[in-house]
Amino acid sequence: MTRPGHSPFFWISALIAAAWWVVCAGAFGYLTWFGPVPTAFVKHLLPETIPRSVWFWPAPWIVLVPLASAAVVFVVYLVLARLIVDRTDGSRVARFLALWFVAVLTGFLATLPWVISAIISAFPPSRAAFVLDPAGDAMLLSGYWGIAWGWLPALLALRRVREPAAALEQGTDAVPATVATGPFRRYPLAVLSTVAVVVLVASGLVVGLGSRAERLVSAAENALADGNTLGAVPDPDVPVTPPPTVAPDAAAAPAGWCTPEDTAVLLGDPDAATGHRTVSIQAMNFSDLPCTLNGYPDLAFADQAGSAIAVTLVHGGSFMTTDDGAQPIEVPAGGFAVTRLGWDAMATADVPATYTLFSALYPGLDRGSWPITLDIVAGGKVSVTAWSLSGATD
């Protein structure tokens, strides 16, 4: 006979499960990072209930994420215990086994926020068959936690229950009031289930926000380690969109114009005056025949992640450059032509700055590139002069 009044302190068992969930995660992280115990052994003894990387996340997520995970374990365990254990025959053994089974189910379900967050972060997958790959074996490990340790909260909770043996032997429903009325016994199962769903969703948001904060911090640390201190660190969650290989809508060049088959494009050294900048680009005709250039080079800019930066190009001179205007020039064999970029110093705080400069002799050719750090930022304006004949040292 089912006797709901004989249910153990579900909330005590749920609290123990939630606390042990976090303890196992912390112990796993410590032993695998700093301990002398082999990782394979630790995985069998203390399953990784919370990814160990969480213990290195920035504040406050290093605290909020484990607390959110523990809250999920608590409410899910509580709901499943109310749903399953009350339907046992009332014996201590049956309730013990039922609570152990509840811990196994809780382990699987409590990992859902992590699994969903990982899938969303890696979406879209390269192939539909790989959509679940980011989740890895998280659910299996957390389910194993319930198998390995689910007996502990069940045993400790049942030890707190002091039911008169005579009452059980006689099959009466009379039990101590402290057993029949726990803190959560007065709430309907539907209410607790709703709370569990809310906590799962909230935990998923906390995990997602914490994971994003960790990615941003890691991106900033990696940029600093690489010496990339100019401009904003690119958002690691934004896909890289490099400049087009060829300028769009470019007209075909007339015969006799310089091409990459006979002309090399070389980057000069930057120069600066107070508040002003310039850098030159040279075209060297390495063939045995002259070739023609007319107009302005094709330019593009990219940040440290390789994404294109929107920069306004102005044909003309600047404080440090002079433009004679577009006109056909014949670059002799072994000769040089030059174009110069000029701009005013730009504020680089919190905006993408240039880490790669792309160039072609003119629009329609494949762009080459050079790694170079310049204070040319998104939304900035750069003046560029037309090609003109030059000496090799210009």
Side-chain angles (χ1 to χ4, degrees):
M1 178 176 61
T2 301
R3 291 185 292 274
H6 288 173
S7 299
F9 281 143
F10 295 154
W11 65 275
I12 294 179
S13 186
L15 279 176
I16 295 172
W20 191 243
W21 176 272
V22 177
V23 169
C24 286
F28 176 88
Y30 177 81
L31 291 175
T32 53
W33 279 105
F34 307 110
V37 184
T39 300
F41 176 78
V42 176
K43 285 184 176 180
H44 288 86
L45 181 65
L46 297 169
E48 189 180 11
T49 54
I50 299 174
R52 63 178 181 175
S53 59
V54 168
W55 306 113
F56 298 92
W57 283 11
W61 308 107
I62 188 176
V63 176
L64 291 181
V65 170
L67 286 178
S69 186
V72 170
V73 172
F74 177 78
V75 295
V76 171
Y77 190 103
L78 192 63
V79 170
L80 292 176
R82 285 281 302 274
L83 186 65
I84 296 174
V85 180
D86 273 351
R87 288 164 171 76
T88 64
D89 62 9
S91 68
R92 293 176 69 87
V93 172
R95 286 180 293 171
F96 171 77
L97 294 176
L99 284 174
W100 194 343
F101 179 64
V102 164
V104 176
L105 293 180
T106 300
F108 281 112
L109 295 176
T111 316
L112 282 177
W114 298 97
V115 171
I116 295 174
S117 176
I119 291 174
I120 292 176
S121 298
F123 197 85
S126 57
R127 295 178 58 185
F130 300 153
V131 67
L132 297 179
D133 284 5
D137 56 358
M139 295 191 73
L140 294 178
L141 289 174
S142 59
Y144 174 70
W145 170 87
I147 296 173
W149 292 105
W151 59 270
L152 182 62
L155 180 63
L156 294 179
L158 287 172
R159 286 176 62 86
R160 294 290 303 272
V161 179
R162 299 290 183 247
E163 297 178 332
L168 291 178
E169 293 174 358
Q170 297 170 7
T172 179
D173 287 335
V175 293
T178 55
V179 176
T181 57
F184 296 93
R185 295 292 300 159
R186 62 180 179 273
Y187 296 112
L189 185 60
V191 173
L192 291 179
S193 300
T194 302
V195 172
V197 172
V198 172
V199 171
L200 277 168
V201 173
S203 177
L205 291 175
V206 170
V207 170
L209 292 173
S211 179
R212 172 163 171 76
E214 189 275 335
R215 290 193 297 273
L216 291 174
V217 170
S218 295
E221 291 175 347
N222 292 336
L224 186 61
D226 293 337
N228 299 335
T229 58
L230 193 68
V233 176
D235 191 326
D237 294 334
V238 175
V240 175
T241 54
T245 305
V246 178
D249 303 325
W257 278 36
C258 301
T259 67
E261 285 70 31
D262 54 38
T263 305
V265 183
L266 310 173
L267 180 65
D269 294 327
D271 195 6
T274 304
H276 306 282
R277 310 281 190 266
T278 185
V279 64
S280 64
I281 298 175
Q282 289 186 322
M284 183 187 71
N285 182 356
F286 57 80
S287 71
D288 297 328
L289 299 173
C291 62
T292 301
L293 287 175
N294 185 6
Y296 298 85
D298 174 33
L299 300 171
F301 307 84
D303 63 16
Q304 59 182 277
S307 291
I309 295 177
V311 174
T312 301
L313 292 173
V314 179
H315 291 171
S318 66
F319 182 85
M320 297 185 69
T321 64
T322 301
D323 182 31
D324 295 329
Q327 53 186 323
I329 60 170
E330 186 176 85
V331 185
F336 291 82
V338 66
T339 180
R340 292 181 174 86
L341 285 65
W343 67 96
D344 295 333
M346 302 181 191
T348 59
D350 301 324
V351 288
T354 296
Y355 281 80
T356 305
L357 174 62
F358 292 80
S359 178
L361 294 169
Y362 44 84
L365 298 179
D366 287 343
R367 291 166 170 168
S369 65
W370 305 278
I372 184 172
T373 303
L374 302 171
D375 61 348
I376 298 174
V377 303
K381 184 172 69 173
V382 175
S383 298
V384 56
T385 64
W387 287 112
S388 60
L389 291 175
S390 146
T393 58
D394 286 355

